[in-house]
């Protein structure tokens, strides 16, 4: 209480988005020990960037975590079922807690990390609401799927090919952007916009909706709203590739928006995986951001100031 800690100086402000595997570990079954180990590893790289002078704001995904909560609900039909927006908020706290602890342990200073439960505004007339595309939660048989009180779709083959699908509308504003900005200006270290943020519509008042906002898209919007110079998306590959998975695959290193857009338009990047990352990077740089990078956590620092990863600059 009352400690008036000095801000971290005026280091460059960077939004770093942590992907699923940086939070869970690669293989599963994702016990809490595995999660802690993965998060501690990610924390070491984030702290490396902070020690190098960057002011880091962290965001993160939540796909498997929110999926597990949905599964837990399904298996506990006697308890009240919570809507998806509430579950997203739960995962922000869950993952934020683990990140805060690992980061505070790694960087023992008087400034602790804080997690901000973050709402993200979406447009109720977004066409995504008419066309739910994002699979979430458990897999069902055809008979099970028909009984569910929500929309399901066949998304794979095998015995249980159905999953719940929800809309993935574009984020239009970060509700807590000003508060996050003030924390950052004071020198606080913030984890926010987890799982792409809790999707809300603003019609007079704020109201949560059953949807999932893409975390790369929300991270891009956050970076723009708080005036970050760079956006770094950390995932389980060290680069975005062209001809990905083919014998002649080629990592993209330094790339300008025009070239990257050509690869995007040719369909080089996986829907729902690499494509939203590339789109977020393009949009960030085209709107005046200095650098957007896609790489693995071990390359965070070199992605920012060296030669690692896919680095998009104008
Ligand atoms: P995260 O959970 O970190 O958001 P995703 O699994 O959504 O990560 O996206 C990363 C994955 O994107 C990689 O593991 C890779 O399989 C896939 N991917 C699809 N297209 C490409 C590409 N062109 N270059 C690299 N990775 C790609
Ligand atoms: Mg993933």
């Amino acid at each position: 209480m009352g400690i008036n800690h000095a801000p971290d100086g005026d280091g460059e402000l960077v939004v770093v988005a942590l992907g699923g595997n940086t939070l869970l570990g690669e293989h599963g079954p994702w016990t809490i020990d595995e999660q802690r180990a993965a998060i501690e590893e990610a924390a070491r790289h984030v702290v490396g960037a902070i020690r190098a002078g960057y002011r880091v704001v962290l965001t993160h995904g939540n796909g498997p975590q929110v999926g597990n909560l949905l599964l837990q609900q399904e298996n506990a039909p006697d308890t009240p079922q919570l809507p998806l927006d509430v579950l997203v908020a739960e995962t922000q706290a869950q993952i934020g807690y683990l990140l805060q602890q690992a980061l505070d342990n790694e960087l023992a200073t008087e400034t602790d990390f804080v997690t901000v439960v973050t709402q993200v505004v979406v447009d109720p007339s977004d066409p995504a609401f008419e066309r739910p595309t994002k699979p979430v939660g458990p897999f069902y048989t055809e008979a099970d799927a028909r009984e569910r009180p929500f929309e399901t779709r066949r998304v794979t083959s095998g015995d249980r090919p159905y999953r719940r699908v929800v809309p993935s509308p574009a984020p239009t504003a970060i509700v807590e952007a000003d508060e996050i900005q003030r924390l950052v200006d004071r020198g606080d270290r913030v984890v926010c916009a987890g799982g792409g943020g809790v999707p809300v519509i603003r019609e007079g008042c704020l109201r949560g909706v059953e949807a999932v906002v893409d975390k790369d898209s929300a991270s891009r919007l956050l970076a723009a709203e708080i005036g970050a110079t760079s956006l770094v998306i950390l995932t389980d590959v060290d680069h975005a590739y062209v001809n990905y998975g083919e014998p002649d695959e080629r990592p993209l290193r330094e790339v300008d928006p025009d070239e990257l857009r050509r690869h995007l338009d040719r369909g080089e990047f996986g829907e729902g995986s690499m494509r939203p990352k590339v789109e977020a990077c393009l949009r960030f740089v085209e709107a005046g951001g200095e650098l957007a990078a896609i790489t693995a956590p071990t390359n965070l620092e070199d992605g920012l100031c060296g030669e690692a990863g896919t680095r998009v600059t104008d």
Side-chain angles (χ1 to χ4, degrees):
M1 273 289 289
I3 297 174
N4 202 354
H5 50 254
D8 270 342
D10 43 13
E12 249 181 64
L13 183 59
V14 183
V15 169
V16 176
L18 299 171
N21 74 301
T22 61
L23 303 169
L24 288 167
E26 269 171 62
H27 303 296
W30 300 329
T31 60
I32 190 63
D33 291 339
E34 285 175 286
Q35 292 189 44
R36 281 190 194 280
I39 285 180
E40 282 164 15
E41 161 86 15
R44 274 194 288 280
H45 301 298
V46 171
V47 164
I50 292 171
R51 291 217 171 94
Y54 292 97
R55 290 184 298 149
V56 174
V57 172
L58 278 180
T59 67
H60 61 82
N62 75 342
Q65 291 86 349
V66 82
N68 280 342
L69 286 181
L70 285 163
L71 186 58
Q72 285 171 18
Q73 293 210 137
E74 295 257 311
N75 289 325
D78 297 340
T79 60
Q81 303 289 295
L82 300 172
L84 196 52
D85 55 313
V86 175
L87 299 185
V88 172
E90 286 188 22
T91 63
Q92 290 185 346
Q94 171 193 340
I95 299 165
Y97 156 64
L98 293 171
L99 279 168
Q100 275 180 216
Q101 195 172 71
L103 290 158
D104 288 342
N105 287 341
E106 189 68 27
L107 190 71
T109 59
E110 61 194 25
T111 308
D112 290 329
F113 282 80
V114 291
T115 297
V116 176
V117 172
T118 312
Q119 306 172 83
V120 171
V121 180
V122 298
D123 182 348
S125 60
D126 190 312
F129 281 106
E130 250 109 81
R131 210 170 45 91
T133 51
K134 179 94 186 158
V136 294
F139 290 78
Y140 303 108
T141 63
E142 185 169 355
D144 278 347
R146 235 181 281 123
E147 302 279 294
R148 297 298 101 185
F150 41 71
E151 184 165 348
T152 56
R153 185 173 306 158
R154 179 185 282 272
V155 292
T156 175
S157 50
D159 292 349
R160 309 178 77 83
Y162 283 81
R163 281 182 95 184
R164 180 176 182 181
V165 283
V166 296
S168 188
T172 62
I174 309 281
V175 175
E176 290 79 14
D178 287 348
E179 290 72 17
I180 293 165
Q181 177 94 66
R182 278 202 293 279
L183 288 167
V184 169
D185 289 346
R186 294 183 5 156
D188 284 327
R189 305 194 175 100
V190 182
V191 179
C192 61
V198 178
V200 296
I201 56 176
R202 200 198 283 274
E203 286 177 327
C205 57
L206 295 171
R207 183 167 59 80
V209 288
E210 302 255 14
V212 167
V213 176
D214 175 64
K215 77 111 174 36
D216 299 308
S217 183
S219 302
R220 190 274 312 160
L221 180 63
L222 175 79
E225 289 202 8
I226 66 173
T229 16
S230 308
L231 168 67
V232 183
I233 298 177
L234 298 181
T235 184
D236 57 356
V237 283
D238 49 7
H239 294 86
Y241 288 79
V242 292
N243 299 330
Y244 182 64
E246 306 294 320
D248 60 346
E249 68 176 17
R250 173 171 70 85
L252 292 166
R253 300 179 193 279
E254 301 285 332
V255 61
D256 66 37
D258 288 344
E259 182 190 348
L260 189 58
R261 190 166 286 287
R262 282 197 296 278
H263 296 311
L264 181 77
D265 292 344
R266 273 204 307 270
E268 293 281 357
F269 309 116
E271 293 293 337
S273 59
M274 189 50 69
R275 187 178 174 96
K277 298 181 201 327
V278 168
E279 284 172 338
C281 288
L282 273 172
R283 230 177 131 179
F284 181 69
V285 171
E286 286 173 346
E290 264 174 39
L291 165 74
I294 300 169
T295 193
T298 45
N299 296 330
L300 172 56
E301 256 188 84
D302 284 340
L304 278 165
C305 60
E307 298 187 332
T310 298
R311 291 168 39 93
V312 192
T313 51
D314 211 347

